[in-house]
Amino acid sequence: KLQGLKTIAVTTNGINLTRLLPRLKEAGLNAINISLDTLIPAKFEFIVRRKGTNFTLLTKFSLLYLQVNCVVMRGLNEDELLDFVDFTKDLPLDVRFIEYMPFDGKYSCFEILRGVE
């Protein structure tokens, strides 16, 4: 209801999205960013630390702008990149492959962004 507001988006791992989507759409949601780092159910559960997967969600939200963010991690999912491309090539969504950037725990991500050395 805010004047001039064009996009209401949510970023999620998708675990509860099917349940919450009707209320979110009522509130004006029109874009979803889904974090999906693997297409392998056991790896997905390891990464998000809970049961469930969300890849089937990608075919259910055709009325919304959908973007998938995949953080590429050496030794965990770098061997799945072509599988992601194949799985999503015919779906109405954008896929972004994001480089994993580990932090050594010495600084927070905000301090790194501010340039603390």
Side-chain angles (χ1 to χ4, degrees):
K1 295 181 182 180
L2 294 173
Q3 189 172 9
L5 187 64
K6 295 178 182 167
T7 303
I8 298 176
V10 64
T11 298
T12 176
N13 66 11
I15 295 284
N16 294 310
L17 192 55
T18 300
R19 180 176 54 84
L20 297 173
L21 189 60
R23 288 181 54 211
L24 292 169
K25 286 175 79 173
E26 276 179 35
L29 180 75
N30 55 11
I32 302 174
N33 295 314
I34 293 184
S35 300
L36 182 60
D37 300 328
T38 182
L39 296 173
I40 300 170
K43 280 187 192 179
F44 179 83
E45 291 176 4
F46 173 78
I47 292 168
V48 301
R49 295 184 178 103
R50 52 178 34 184
K51 291 272 185 207
T53 59
N54 64 6
F55 358 110
T56 57
L57 295 174
L58 301 181
T59 60
K60 295 182 181 181
F61 305 126
S62 60
L63 299 177
L64 301 169
Y65 169 73
L66 185 62
Q67 177 175 288
V68 173
N69 298 325
C70 176
V71 177
V72 181
M73 295 167 276
R74 183 178 292 133
L76 185 63
N77 66 350
E78 84 275 10
D79 59 332
E80 295 183 61
L81 296 181
L82 295 178
D83 295 333
F84 263 97
V85 171
D86 188 52
F87 179 70
T88 61
K89 70 181 177 194
D90 296 322
L91 296 175
L93 53 80
D94 293 324
V95 178
R96 291 190 319 173
F97 293 106
I98 301 168
E99 178 184 6
Y100 176 68
M101 296 175 55
F103 297 103
D104 65 2
K106 187 175 179 183
Y107 300 110
S108 73
C109 60
F110 301 108
E111 291 169 323
I112 291 170
L113 291 173
R114 282 196 329 248
V116 173
E117 303 273 342

